């Protein structure tokens, strides 16, 4: 296995162009597990840890640009107010050691359906910034996931950053696992309210070949919530929302859980997260 260690971003792109079979590594929390368990051995590793400028974030208008090297720990500590759903999901990732090394960009690159950052990124409407020696392009998060552990990056591209809109309303993330910590999700769900646009975003994790939104559930909330009057949440609307979220999933039976359980759990998590978010929204109105 070859080990490539660029010092600059341009050098990293040049390496990736020359060696499209090279696997990028930053925190290594996914890549090293695969190697150690002998589930995959890349032809080359492209180590990005020495590349300056990847580990920061900037506020640019109504969005936050997360550098590809920004760790979960820093996101939790510094961006809980701007990106509450993503910060909540980040708190559930692994252990403190993993959160000190792992990155949202690494989660995206691995594209596992169970990745914790995917549901809030979908609910927020994030955009992935991909770069190569040919230039830079943006990929809407909806179009980024193409299959189980597959994404829309070209062979010569690297993730440079992730652009996430600043929360315009309450956001919540919920995850079910076989224990309370250090666990891969049996299933997960995120909701984000966008009151100014009178719509809601959703994200489903670990219940389909790829992370995905629940479009019909989002349409239900857009037309069914009392955005202007901020009245109490209709239990029937919440129940129907949960049903539509579960209906958008296509889970399988595996070692972590059965498909039927995942569908039930998603419906429950959808109702609960919507209730939490709506209570926050109406609570601010009463304050």
């Amino acid at each position: 296995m070859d080990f490539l260690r660029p010092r600059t971003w341009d050098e990293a792109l040049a390496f990736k162009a020359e060696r499209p079979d090279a696997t990028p590594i930053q925190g290594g929390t996914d890549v090293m597990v695969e190697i150690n368990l002998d589930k995959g051995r890349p032809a080359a590793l492209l180590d990005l840890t020495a590349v300056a400028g990847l580990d920061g974030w900037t506020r640019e208008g109504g969005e936050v640009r997360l550098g590809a090297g920004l760790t979960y720990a820093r996101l939790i500590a510094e961006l809980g107010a701007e990106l509450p759903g993503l910060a909540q999901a980040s708190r559930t990732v692994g252990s403190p050691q993993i959160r000190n090394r792992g990155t949202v960009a690494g989660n995206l690159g691995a594209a596992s359906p169970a990745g914790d950052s995917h549901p809030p990124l979908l609910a927020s409407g994030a955009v992935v910034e991909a770069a190569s020696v040919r230039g830079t392009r943006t990929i809407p998060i909806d179009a980024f996931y193409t299959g189980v552990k597959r994404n829309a990056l070209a062979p010569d591209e690297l993730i440079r950053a992730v652009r996430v809109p600043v929360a315009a309303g309450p956001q919540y993330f919920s995850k079910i696992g076989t224990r309370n910590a250090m666990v891969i999700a049996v299933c997960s769900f995120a909701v984000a309210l966008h009151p100014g646009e009178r719509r809601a975003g959703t994200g489903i994790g670990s219940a389909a070949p790829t992370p995905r939104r629940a479009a019909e559930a989002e349409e239900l909330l857009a037309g069914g919530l009392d955005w202007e009057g901020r009245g109490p949440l209709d239990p029937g609307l919440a129940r129907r929302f949960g049903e539509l979220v579960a209906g958008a999933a296509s889970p399988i039976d595996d070692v972590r859980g059965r498909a039927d359980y995942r569908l039930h759990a998603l419906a429950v998590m959808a109702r609960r997260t919507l209730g939490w978010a709506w209570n926050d929204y109406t609570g601010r109105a009463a304050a």
Side-chain angles (χ1 to χ4, degrees):
M1 183 191 306
D2 295 329
F3 187 75
L4 311 174
R5 198 160 196 262
R7 297 289 178 178
T8 66
W9 181 246
D10 287 343
E11 190 178 0
L13 295 181
F15 273 136
K16 188 61 172 164
E18 295 169 8
R19 293 293 306 272
D21 59 346
T23 297
I25 184 170
Q26 184 92 28
T29 58
D30 284 320
V31 174
M32 293 309 299
V33 170
E34 294 284 312
I35 293 174
N36 289 337
L37 294 178
D38 204 24
K39 290 186 176 181
R41 188 159 291 273
L45 286 177
L46 179 60
D47 180 15
L48 300 176
T49 54
V51 177
L54 290 183
D55 61 349
W57 63 271
T58 55
R59 173 81 180 258
E60 300 177 1
E63 65 182 14
V64 177
R65 182 177 182 271
L66 308 175
L70 183 73
T71 64
Y72 293 114
R74 282 194 59 193
L75 193 153
I76 293 165
E78 300 172 24
L79 290 168
E82 290 85 354
L83 309 177
L86 189 56
Q88 290 170 23
S90 298
R91 292 187 188 100
T92 74
V93 174
S95 63
Q97 294 91 334
I98 290 174
R99 293 191 291 273
N100 281 333
R101 293 289 298 173
T103 66
V104 171
N107 216 210
L108 283 166
S112 166
D116 293 319
S117 69
H118 306 316
L121 290 174
L122 283 164
S124 299
V127 173
V128 180
E129 190 178 305
S132 70
V133 293
R134 298 175 286 109
T136 301
R137 66 180 178 122
T138 54
I139 308 171
I141 195 67
D142 299 66
F144 185 77
Y145 311 105
T146 60
V148 179
K149 297 189 177 182
R150 298 200 306 274
N151 60 51
L153 293 174
D156 65 340
E157 285 184 319
L158 295 171
I159 296 174
R160 178 70 182 267
V162 186
R163 297 179 177 272
V164 189
V166 173
Q171 299 181 352
Y172 278 93
F173 172 80
S174 184
K175 169 181 172 180
I176 288 179
T178 54
R179 57 188 182 190
N180 287 333
M182 295 277 293
V183 65
I184 299 174
V186 172
C187 58
S188 59
F189 180 74
V191 66
L193 299 185
H194 306 278
E197 303 169 50
R198 297 192 177 189
R199 69 176 182 87
T202 59
I204 296 171
S206 201
T210 67
R212 60 173 59 168
R213 289 168 56 193
E216 288 187 45
E218 292 177 8
E219 291 172 9
L220 176 74
L221 296 187
L225 289 174
D226 184 13
W227 296 103
E228 206 167 301
R230 304 197 191 199
L233 180 64
D234 178 2
L237 179 74
R239 184 169 54 253
R240 181 58 181 155
F241 176 66
E243 292 170 354
L244 290 175
V245 167
S250 56
I252 61 171
D253 296 335
D254 64 15
V255 295
R256 294 197 306 279
R258 294 185 57 83
D260 287 347
Y261 175 73
R262 285 184 162 100
L263 294 175
H264 169 74
L266 279 171
V268 173
M269 287 193 294
R271 294 196 305 268
R272 288 180 179 176
T273 54
L274 174 61
W276 299 333
W278 191 252
N279 285 342
D280 279 1
Y281 181 56
T282 57
R284 281 200 299 274

